[in-house]
Structures are given as C-alpha cells and as structure tokens.
Amino acid sequence: MDVSIVVPTFNESENVRELTRRIDASMAGAGYSYEIWFIDDSTDSTPEVLWELSEVHPEVRYIHRTTNKGLGTAVVEGFQRAQGQYLVVMDADLQHPPELIPTIIDRLHDGIDVVIPSRFIEGGSDGGLNLFRKFVSWTARTIARVSIHKLRNISDCTGGFFGVRRGVVEGVDLDPIGWKILIEVLVKGKYSRVHEIPYGFESRTAGESKMSLREQWNFLRHIVKLVRNNPEDRRFYLFCFVGALGVVVNLLVMTLCVRVFHLHPVGSSVVASLIAMAHNFLWNDRVTWRGTDSVVAWRRVLRFPVFVAISAIGILVTAASVELFLWLRWSELMGQLWGIVCSTIWNFLANNRWTWREISAKSSRRVIVTRERTNLL
Ligand SMILES: Nc1nc2c(ncn2[C@@H]2O[C@H](COP(=O)(O)OP(=O)(O)OP(=O)(O)O)[C@@H](O)[C@H]2O)c(=O)[nH]1
Ligand SMILES: [Mg+2]
C-alpha cells in the first residue's frame, strides 16, 4: 500500500460522501495505491454513511469510537491502523482540497519527510475563515512559533492538512492534547526535510464547526506540555526563572551585608551582585544547560569567566537603554525595564551560543525547509 489518508470525523454525515468522491477522482490518475481511514467519533448518522461508503469503495475503511474521543487521538489511531508508506491527514469538511494529495505524495516520494500545505506562503490563502477566526489562528500560530524552536520556520504549523513518510511517526510516542496533531508530529517526529505547498483554504459549506474555546485552552496546555518535555525549548524559561531567583538572592545578600555586617552600601551591592552571579551560574550549569558533559576540564573552567563577561555586556545593554530613554525624554524606569528585557534575551542567546555551546549544539538538529513557488491547483 502506497498511501493512507487519515480523516478524523465528528458529525460529518453531509461531507464524507463528497470527500470520498473527490479523493477518488484526484487519486485516479496518480498511480498510487491508497486507502482512506475515517476515524469517527460522531453522534449523528456518519457511521451509517461510512458503512455504506465502505460497501461501495474498497478503499474506504473506518472505525467508530465510543470512548477515547478527540481529534488528536483520532489521527494517532489512524496512524496505527494505516498500511501505507505515506500518510496524509486532512479534515472531512472539504476545507482541505483533496486535489492536492497527489502532489503531496509526489514530494514525499522525491525524498521529503514532511509536506505541509500552507495558507500563509505566497500563493496560499485562508479565505475560508472570518476575521475573528483569522486573528485567533494567527495568535495560536505565533504562540507556537515563539515557544517551540522546531516550529519557527514552519509557516502553517497549526493546520490539519499534511503528509509524512511513515518513518517520521513510526515508533514515536504521540500523545497530543486536543487538536494540533501537526505540532506534536513536528516536535517529536523523526525528519530532516520539510516542504511547504501553497493552497487556498475553503470555507465550510456543510456541517458544523467543532472549534470551541475549550480547544483554545487545550492548545495552550499542549504547548506547555511540549515545552516542558523538550530541553531545548525549556531552557529559556528555566533561564528566566534562575534570573528571577538571582534577584531574590541579590536582595537578601545586600540586606544581610548592610543590616547585619554594617558594610558600606556600595561595597554590599558589589558583593551581592557577585554572589547572585555565581548563584545564577551554578543553577544554569547544573539545571538549565544540564547534559552529559564530555567536555575537557579547562573548557568547563572557562565557562564562569565567559558567563561573567556576557553578563557584563548585559549590564551595558541595560545602561544604554536607560540612556536612550532619557535622550528621548521618556521614563528612565521604562528604559530600565526595556533594558532588562533586551539584556535577558542577549544573555540567554549568548550563553547558549558560547558558554554552554557543547550542550546546546547536541540538541539542535538541522532541518531544511523548502517551499513550492506556485499554487498548483
Ligand atoms: N474523530 C474526531 N474528529 C473530530 C473531532 N472534532 C473535530 N473532528 C474533525 O476534525 C476536523 C476539523 O474540525 P472542524 O470543526 O472542521 O474544525 P476547523 O476546521 O478548525 O473549524 P471550521 O473552520 O469552522 O470548520 C473535521 O473533519 C471534524 O469532523 C473529534 O472529537 N473526533
Ligand atoms: Mg473545518
């Protein structure tokens, strides 16, 4: 079997016949053997329609689930049942054009690991969504791309239309919360080449949307879970947490020096800053950039001075920001705040690149992302 098309369905009795007809028509001349797996959680007459379809079309297979519902798990179940070498996932409501499937398979056949039809590259459009849904969709995509490193170069990571080689998901423990199965695949899957194809997203003509506020919440829970389980994405949050802890240590030491040991405030400030810096370094070394360390001893010893030098530049960045705000006649406190944001980002990126480069290099795999230039439909 060449291709398995996995379609999650929930109350799509008005759409599955037309979808099957269009898939059959588009695959007819493509030269690939295929099956269509409907994974159905419906409470309407969809299972009866699927049964009728499977009687007429030998390619149509389906299961009707009464427990363990949900779009994400439906796709995972489809992957487990699929026989094909290439797996395509799409919605049942005809928002994803089945006519694109042969192209998706051609690209996978040419050596691409993950093919993503995209609404957001030249030639694509998301005309099927109203303005509010467009805004919600943009926000979700931005949150995903900012939080998760592997999604940064993918223009349409929240869509439900994509194709993968079987090996990308085989043996991978996919455990999505909610709908965004593609994000789960992109974070956990085994792949090195991604290809995007522009397409026009259609509006739903029959049946009802199942998108809800609860799904937006599930999406956020899913992102948090993926970030927590991925050392690469977790690092920035750990780094900020360690930094915040460092501020508390700094203030405690300062209080101790001034109130208990009666040291000069400026001397106390320097001591407090140095101790906080050492504190931050140790936590970052032990936790944030934790890793099996096969680095030679002298390079490890060098880490602390490099860390201090980077922090010193961070302090200069903050001071420069205050200077800039004063020059613009804006508030110096806002300048300090802006400086802290900029220097935190600088400190993180610089430490990731230089201080703990052996650890960060280990986790960042290179993925090549290419794009089709024209809309092929
Ligand atoms: N198996 C299964 N499929 C589901 C479930 N919820 C939604 N689906 C299917 O997932 C696909 C996407 O759902 P839609 O309601 O179209 O979501 P959407 O495309 O984001 O929203 P619209 O643009 O309004 O259509 C459709 O094929 C649904 O039938 C579910 O709980 N279980
Ligand atoms: Mg839809």
Side-chain angles (χ1 to χ4, degrees), residues 319-332:
S321 164
V322 173
E323 190 69 44
L324 176 73
F325 272 56
L326 284 176
W327 182 72
L328 292 168
R329 294 174 190 280
W330 293 348
S331 144
E332 66 271 22

Side-chain angles (χ1 to χ4, degrees), residues 4 43 74 247 263-264 304 319:
S4 297
T43 50
V247 172
L263 296 181
H264 190 276
F304 188 59

